[in-house]
Amino acid sequence: MTNTASQPLFETVAFIGMGLIGSSMARRIKRDGLADKITCAVRSEATRDRVLELGIADEAYCDIKQAVGDADLVMVCAPVGANEAIGAQLTGALKKGAIVSDVGSVKQSVIRDIAPHLDEGVHFVPGHPLAGTEHSGPDSGFPELFEERWCILTPIPGENEAAIAKVKALWEACGMYVECMDADHHDRILGITSHLPHLIAYTIVGTATDLEDALRQEVIKFSATGFRDFTRIAASDPTMWRDVFLNNREAVLDVLGRFQEDLMALQRAIRWGEGDKLFELFSRTREIRRGIVD
Ligand code: TYR
């Protein structure tokens, strides 16, 4: 899957947002010559200056319209709660035939928030690279982030096939495996595999944070094991994750309801000393891990 094409796939790619994902893509595009030019729009002047200093964009603006005017591909890489406002800026700002894509963790809401703002002749190919770390900001990106990971595209039925193929080719050139599915299906799957785990991590670390001082110090000191993995996830960007939960409400609440039931069943089994029940459950879950690692 490594890119062998040194031939650019796009002339100009414009990023809206240069956090972990945007800046990793930009680094990859620059490293492998996947576009002739990179522009970007960011929110603060400090970030704009930093992006230019890092050399990951040729032009950087604090204004979306200025950044996207020449773009063949616009990559929205901002927290999903910003999509509506970003979409409004794209009206009348893009070339005919330009492609808009995104990297958001929720897909039905991006279609709701961006698609209505796009002019006739502009293509829209929502996407979600399943890659990341707990770090954020333009300094945290690196070109290998996407290597051997999955990217899910959720094109709207009837969208131009050539536009979908171009976005797919870019992600493949970034090292990813690409699959297409419906946005609502995506949101249900990710609700289980990504959103619920983040919610659990935030909760566990939150519970530990609320412990009385002395105990909390010990927890930090001895967190060599399970707790440590949760603290990594719970260090993820709060704005991004607030927006994920507000925009994938239905799927998250559904799986959270099931989770609460299962947790209660475990609580009961522990309370009544039902070792067989616990053993049976822990045996079943081991199977999933085998499927993932092997
Ligand atoms: N936060 C996840 C991790 O560090 C990565 C991730 C986050 C992947 C959000 C996808 C996504 O939508 O492992």
Side-chain angles (χ1 to χ4, degrees):
M1 278 259 168
T2 34
N3 173 56
T4 44
S6 44
Q7 193 187 338
L9 297 167
F10 293 93
E11 265 174 50
T12 303
V13 177
F15 287 92
I16 301 179
M18 272 293 211
L20 170 71
I21 302 292
S23 75
S24 292
M25 266 192 107
R27 283 177 170 92
R28 181 73 178 220
I29 289 172
K30 279 231 165 281
R31 193 194 77 182
D32 293 350
L34 303 173
D36 293 328
K37 187 167 128 186
I38 294 179
T39 66
C40 72
V42 294
R43 278 186 315 167
S44 72
E45 287 177 11
T47 308
R48 181 196 60 194
D49 296 345
R50 184 65 187 146
V51 162
L52 293 172
E53 203 171 277
L54 289 167
I56 51 182
D58 302 295
E59 295 170 16
Y61 305 94
C62 292
D63 173 63
I64 291 179
K65 285 189 188 291
Q66 260 183 300
V68 300
D70 261 351
D72 307 287
L73 174 68
V74 176
M75 266 290 165
V76 181
C77 301
V80 293
N83 284 337
E84 170 79 58
I86 291 170
Q89 292 289 309
L90 297 179
T91 310
L94 303 177
K95 290 198 301 198
K96 207 174 166 60
I99 301 170
V100 175
S101 188
D102 83 308
V103 299
S105 306
V106 188
K107 300 282 36 105
Q108 287 175 104
S109 70
V110 71
I111 294 172
R112 177 196 68 202
D113 293 343
I114 290 189
H117 295 287
L118 301 180
D119 301 310
E120 189 81 37
V122 170
H123 305 297
F124 185 38
V125 185
H128 181 198
L130 307 188
T133 71
E134 68 279 27
H135 303 299
S136 46
D139 284 275
S140 62
F142 53 100
E144 302 83 10
L145 175 67
F146 309 106
E147 209 68 60
E148 310 240 345
R149 301 295 182 134
W150 279 101
C151 180
I152 300 176
L153 300 182
T154 62
I156 298 162
E159 182 51 86
N160 182 281
E161 289 296 330
I164 300 170
K166 286 196 86 171
V167 174
K168 182 168 186 268
L170 178 60
W171 283 119
E172 284 176 349
C174 288
M176 301 198 95
Y177 310 111
V178 181
E179 194 162 303
C180 290
M181 66 175 70
D182 288 344
D184 65 328
H185 191 59
H186 166 279
D187 290 355
R188 285 197 63 195
I189 293 179
L190 270 290
I192 299 165
T193 60
S194 177
H195 308 169
L196 182 65
H198 279 77
L199 201 63
I200 294 168
Y202 280 125
T203 313
I204 293 180
V205 179
T207 303
T209 307
D210 290 341
L211 294 172
E212 59 274 23
D213 257 2
L215 204 50
R216 190 173 59 233
Q217 291 314 321
E218 297 285 279
V219 166
I220 293 168
K221 182 171 169 189
F222 295 116
S223 71
T225 51
F227 187 69
R228 200 187 184 94
D229 295 345
F230 286 112
T231 60
R232 187 187 75 76
I233 294 287
S236 304
D237 185 55
T239 306
M240 171 185 157
W241 284 98
R242 175 200 63 195
D243 289 359
V244 167
F245 293 116
L246 294 179
N247 285 278
N248 197 21
R249 259 200 174 75
E250 229 174 281
V252 170
L253 289 178
D254 179 58
V255 70
L256 193 57
R258 285 167 177 251
F259 178 73
Q260 276 172 329
E261 274 177 30
D262 294 343
L263 200 57
M264 225 112 93
L266 272 183
Q267 192 174 9
R268 203 186 141 83
I270 294 169
R271 181 175 169 76
W272 294 99
E274 295 170 344
D276 289 351
K277 224 178 219 169
L278 294 176
F279 187 84
E280 207 254 333
L281 177 76
F282 300 161
S283 306
R284 271 199 294 145
T285 50
R286 238 185 174 179
E287 287 300 308
I288 288 229
R289 177 67 183 171
R290 284 200 191 101
I292 289 173
V293 174
D294 294 342

